[in-house]
Amino acid sequence: MKPYYQERIERLMNNFLILEKPFMWEHNLLIHLVALSYTMSKKDVDVDRIKGMKKYIKTRSGAFSPYRGMMNFTVAGLLCAQYDNPEEIFDQMYRRQPFLKEAGFKQSSYLCTASYALEKTLTSNDQAAQRINKAMEIYKDMKANHPFLTSGDDYALAILLSTSGHPVDALESYYRALSEVGFTKSNGLQTLSHILAFSTMSKRDMVDRCSHLFQVMKENKLKVTTEYYPAIGLVALLDMDEKVLGEDFVEVATWLKGLKKYKWLGKGMNILLASGIISDYYIESAKKNGLITTTLSVSIETIIAAQTAAMIATITAASAAASSSSN
């Protein structure tokens, strides 16, 4: 394994262990997400800073705000990991929420990830209204194409896609092409097809690239379930040799799979984390050589956060429904 990957995995695990005890009541997937965010930002975990940020968010948001529930720790952790002024950034996010709701985004935990995605990708405040309206148009088109697959978990992706110039028809063609090479039609496939909009390669090349990575994972007994399809898209975006990319993806995911902390997280969390570690390696190397745009690096980081937070929101909703029915 490349020394860089080894070092990043060790840092990820160390970050997780620092966060695990003080935030033992938080969902383990979210703790891993925050640990990954600190790993990618190269910042040291500051538990007291996160706790203070959690309190700050609660004082700034209303009694029924989604920021006071499951997303409280997520947003606090991500902002502390990514920014030196997290309170100021949260205030900016919160001030934009009425505009998101006015455009048609519904009040939910998914609105929090949409706000985070918008904040991460805005280059000026003047863009906010235009980006929000464009994102809602994209979301409506997604809903029209896949009414049963599209829901609030696609909010953040719609925000990200509003930075892309790809027409929705082109995004839909990715979905069809990917299904033809073996990907199961699903919400995860919809997300994967839209992630590929950030590529500068041709559609055929990107579909072939995703198919190759998918097959390599299968051959190495790394099952990629539909909810983890987006991880393949993240890695496919990287401008690295396809063979090397596949080998690295397998190596890092297999290593993570063997760690005790990941055995119960779901057959695929190791793949999502591996995609983050490999993306981080590529971003850092490319930045040093001036070969990557800020937009792509921010998009990759935000897609990882949005995808994991969406998974958590789905799990939480399912748990609440099960609890309600049993009562």
Side-chain angles (χ1 to χ4, degrees):
M1 183 182 292
K2 289 184 174 73
Y4 182 93
Y5 292 148
Q6 184 69 51
E7 188 273 331
R8 279 294 173 265
I9 290 171
E10 290 174 1
R11 189 174 180 85
L12 172 66
M13 286 308 303
N14 184 58
N15 287 342
F16 175 80
L17 292 173
I18 293 171
L19 291 163
E20 185 179 30
K21 189 172 181 180
F23 300 108
M24 65 175 68
W25 302 115
E26 304 294 345
H27 198 295
N28 252 37
L29 280 177
L30 287 180
I31 297 175
H32 278 90
L33 168 62
V34 173
L36 179 63
S37 188
Y38 269 102
T39 302
M40 294 179 73
S41 68
K42 284 79 176 174
K43 289 178 69 174
D44 293 328
V45 176
D46 187 335
V47 170
D48 290 337
R49 189 83 171 98
I50 296 173
K51 287 182 176 179
M53 190 62 201
K54 285 185 66 182
K55 291 178 181 176
Y56 182 84
I57 290 172
K58 285 185 176 180
T59 62
R60 292 291 191 178
S61 50
F64 300 103
S65 169
Y67 283 108
R68 297 176 69 90
M70 175 197 69
M71 296 304 295
N72 180 250
F73 168 73
T74 311
V75 174
L78 290 176
L79 293 184
C80 287
Q82 297 292 327
Y83 299 99
D84 293 327
N85 56 337
E87 292 87 357
E88 181 182 332
I89 299 300
F90 175 75
D91 287 343
Q92 290 176 184
M93 286 172 55
Y94 200 69
R95 281 197 296 269
R96 293 194 183 103
Q97 282 220 147
F99 302 108
L100 285 161
K101 288 192 279 188
E102 185 178 327
F105 293 95
K106 305 298 183 185
Q107 175 87 331
S108 67
S109 58
Y110 299 122
L111 191 64
C112 302
T113 57
S115 296
Y116 174 75
L118 182 64
E119 187 59 41
K120 286 284 288 182
T121 54
L122 273 180
T123 55
S124 76
N125 287 330
D126 294 339
Q127 285 187 325
Q130 181 182 357
R131 285 279 311 284
I132 289 169
N133 290 330
K134 184 177 179 182
M136 179 46 65
E137 289 176 11
I138 291 171
Y139 179 78
K140 286 178 178 177
D141 283 330
M142 291 166 68
K143 190 80 172 172
N145 285 321
H146 300 285
F148 300 110
L149 295 179
T150 307
S151 62
D153 60 352
D154 294 299
Y155 282 173
L157 190 58
I159 293 287
L160 292 177
L161 287 169
S162 67
T163 67
S164 164
H166 285 247
V168 173
D169 287 347
L171 302 177
E172 179 61 17
S173 69
Y174 273 117
Y175 185 90
R176 292 193 297 270
L178 288 163
S179 69
E180 289 170 2
V181 296
F183 287 89
T184 303
K185 291 182 178 181
S186 60
N187 190 48
L189 182 58
Q190 176 174 249
T191 305
L192 168 59
S193 65
H194 290 166
I195 285 172
L196 300 186
F198 294 96
S199 172
T200 56
M201 297 183 192
S202 71
K203 183 186 75 176
R204 186 70 262 162
D205 286 344
M206 282 307 296
V207 169
D208 289 345
R209 198 169 171 83
C210 288
S211 179
H212 169 74
L213 290 172
F214 194 33
Q215 293 305 317
V216 166
M217 301 305 270
K218 278 185 180 179
E219 289 166 6
N220 287 273
K221 299 180 180 178
L222 289 165
K223 185 177 181 182
V224 186
T225 53
T226 58
E227 63 266 37
Y228 291 102
Y229 281 176
I232 290 177
L234 284 171
V235 176
L237 286 177
L238 308 178
D239 187 18
M240 292 170 62
D241 178 82
E242 192 175 89
K243 186 173 183 294
V244 174
L245 201 56
E247 290 171 353
D248 286 2
F249 203 3
V250 167
E251 189 172 28
V252 176
T254 301
W255 185 273
L256 288 168
K257 183 182 178 183
L259 297 176
K260 265 197 313 187
K261 289 291 179 188
Y262 300 99
K263 288 191 180 296
W264 68 274
L265 281 176
K267 296 176 181 178
M269 190 59 188
N270 60 310
I271 290 168
L272 181 64
L273 292 171
S275 72
I277 290 169
I278 293 169
S279 299
D280 185 39
Y281 167 72
Y282 170 78
I283 290 167
E284 183 163 291
S285 300
K287 278 181 177 177
K288 285 179 182 176
N289 298 315
L291 300 175
I292 192 170
T293 65
T294 302
T295 301
L296 179 56
S297 76
V298 167
S299 295
I300 288 172
E301 292 164 3
T302 310
I303 289 167
I304 292 171
Q307 173 64 15
T308 309
M311 287 167 53
I312 293 298
T314 302
I315 291 168
T316 302
S319 299
S323 174
S324 175
S325 63
S326 65
N327 293 331

